[in-house]
Amino acid sequence: MDVLSFTIGEPDFPTPPHVVEAAIEALREGKTKYAPSRGILPLREAISRLYQERGLDFTEKNILITTAKFALYAALQSLVDPGEEVILPDPCWVSYEPMVMMASGRAVKVRLDPLEEFSFLPEKLKEAVNSRTRILILNTPANPTGGVLRREHLKLIADLAVDHDFYVVADETYEKIVYEGEHISIATLPGMEERTITVSSFSKSYSMPGWRVGWVAAPEEHINDILRVQQHTLTCLPPFVQAGALAALEGPQDYLNEMVKAFRRRRDKVVEGLNNMPGVTLRPPHGTFYAFFHYDQPVPSMDLTETLIEKARVALTPGIPPGQWEDRYKAPLGGGIYYSVSNKVH
Ligand SMILES: Cc1ncc(COP(=O)(O)O)c(C=O)c1O
């Protein structure tokens, strides 16, 4: 039985050829030994320039090259003490909560507002902050909601972080995949440069998920803490992978622009198709290649996704995990539909 799968968050485009060539070239040149644990200097310099362009006072000392997922894990390991609280968006990417648990922290989930780009509900967020709050994990553009937070949403978080002295781990993995509005790094808001650990990735923007390369941008002391986690675990990222990443950043960007245009066309199709179905509402996601729709029937999203596989042979990711459905049904959330691999949705 053929099933159309919309469940995996990876671009279906090949990695740009000049990126592949740069890595092959590096292999041929013998770049097959250990690299510096922080990452190769030209790549760190190129990434620091991205943040300088946004007005941050960052140099290569503020950048560490690692896998985005590992960067989030290492940031939590280095900052969270047992029992400290980490605020998470709800819904959020599946790995945040296990990462908080592995750091012996306590995950505190705060509901998002579908009418406001899936930003935190302000009252719920204020209620969640207390003296044990150590970190808030922010994800914009967001998986799975597709929300792109505006300045006023970020300002609320920044003001709370400054007043209550907690850190923000800003997951900006999807920063290049924006259709409406603009991506804003929370580190650029007043008082935030010193309390934000920004994580980003080559995986989605440059269609390089198998390369396992991304970075952390943060104040030097935090980079040094994360460096220690990296030194005693991964050691470094492969030098030829970093050569490819450098080519991605410094080479032509038209490939990326074309990919985003294609995602946008698919998004429009998905928005139109879903909104034409009885009971289904999807506000157009402003970024990422995910769509998180509301289904206006009392059906747990696990049941809905199972029915869709059986009857329509379409696989979606359930929007609300089993066991957490009843108390949430009243909220305008729904199932999650992931359309990145939708080469079938042309
Ligand atoms: C929100 C979010 N953050 C981080 C990652 C991890 O990115 P990478 O695969 O580059 O480590 C993903 C991957 O799906 C993601 O969706």
Side-chain angles (χ1 to χ4, degrees):
M1 170 173 110
D2 279 346
V3 172
L4 287 183
S5 174
F6 293 88
T7 59
I8 294 178
E10 66 177 358
D12 56 327
F13 295 88
T15 299
H18 68 276
V19 175
V20 174
E21 285 309 320
I24 293 173
E25 179 79 20
L27 279 167
R28 291 220 169 92
E29 283 169 4
K31 294 199 173 127
T32 53
K33 307 287 168 69
Y34 293 125
S37 283
R38 288 172 190 274
I40 58 170
L41 185 60
L43 183 56
R44 290 192 291 126
E45 284 173 341
I47 293 170
S48 71
R49 286 194 287 275
L50 299 177
Y51 293 95
Q52 287 160 11
E53 281 160 20
R54 295 175 200 181
L56 294 178
D57 193 17
F58 277 1
T59 68
E60 78 286 349
K61 293 196 174 115
N62 298 100
I63 309 296
L64 180 133
I65 310 301
T66 188
T67 303
K69 199 170 197 172
F70 189 77
L72 294 162
Y73 168 83
L76 292 169
Q77 288 291 328
S78 67
L79 279 174
V80 178
D81 281 335
E84 286 185 327
E85 296 186 358
V86 179
I87 295 179
L88 301 181
D90 182 15
C92 69
W93 183 46
V94 63
S95 292
Y96 295 146
E97 194 171 357
M99 286 180 188
V100 173
M101 288 162 70
M102 284 188 274
S104 303
R106 199 171 95 72
V108 177
K109 295 184 183 171
V110 175
R111 286 276 287 283
L112 305 181
D113 182 356
L115 304 178
E116 278 294 330
E117 284 302 306
F118 289 93
S119 57
F120 289 102
L121 282 162
E123 287 317 310
K124 299 266 180 219
L125 181 58
K126 287 178 195 155
E127 268 167 42
V129 173
N130 62 49
S131 59
R132 292 181 302 278
T133 306
R134 180 70 165 156
I135 293 179
L136 177 147
I137 299 188
L138 180 69
N139 180 210
T140 179
N143 177 4
T145 65
V148 178
L149 298 195
R150 294 193 299 274
R151 194 168 292 278
E152 72 257 30
H153 305 132
L154 299 176
K155 188 168 181 312
L156 170 78
I157 297 164
D159 289 348
L160 283 169
V162 171
D163 288 351
H164 295 267
D165 193 24
F166 60 81
Y167 291 98
V168 171
V169 170
D171 179 353
E172 303 188 350
T173 292
Y174 296 90
E175 62 182 298
K176 301 263 199 232
I177 306 176
V178 174
Y179 313 116
E180 272 113 51
E182 53 165 343
H183 168 68
I184 304 173
S185 287
I186 195 166
T188 62
L189 268 64
M192 291 308 289
E193 181 168 334
E194 61 268 34
R195 60 178 67 251
T196 305
I197 288 92
T198 303
V199 172
S200 196
S201 177
F202 289 88
S203 296
K204 320 287 174 169
S205 308
Y206 294 97
S207 204
M208 296 169 67
W211 295 61
R212 313 306 303 128
V213 56
W215 68 87
V216 198
E220 226 181 306
E221 59 183 288
H222 299 303
I223 289 292
N224 291 339
D225 288 344
I226 292 169
L227 173 66
R228 276 191 281 279
V229 182
Q230 170 124 311
Q231 276 171 329
H232 299 294
T233 50
L234 294 183
T235 305
C236 63
L237 256 64
F240 49 91
V241 163
Q242 297 189 57
L246 184 61
L249 268 194
E250 300 211 311
Q253 302 296 302
D254 46 338
Y255 191 92
L256 156 69
N257 299 336
E258 287 309 311
M259 195 168 74
V260 173
K261 272 192 211 154
F263 285 146
R264 190 194 181 108
R265 282 194 298 275
R266 297 175 188 183
R267 177 203 66 164
D268 292 345
K269 265 195 178 164
V270 168
V271 169
E272 194 192 340
L274 281 174
N275 283 320
N276 280 334
M277 290 181 190
V280 176
T281 319
L282 172 64
R283 295 168 72 85
H286 288 171
T288 74
F289 35 61
Y290 304 119
F292 199 76
F293 64 85
H294 177 230
Y295 182 47
D296 188 19
Q297 295 294 314
V299 184
S301 56
M302 278 300 282
D303 294 2
L304 178 64
T305 47
E306 272 170 26
T307 307
L308 283 170
I309 291 185
E310 276 162 23
K311 301 249 163 83
R313 299 181 179 178
V314 169
L316 306 186
T317 300
I320 302 175
Q324 295 183 20
W325 177 72
E326 284 77 6
D327 61 323
R328 301 207 212 177
Y329 171 64
K330 293 186 192 77
L333 295 173
I337 162 167
Y338 288 63
Y339 57 92
S340 67
V341 282
S342 56
N343 43 353
K344 293 126 192 164
V345 188
H346 285 305

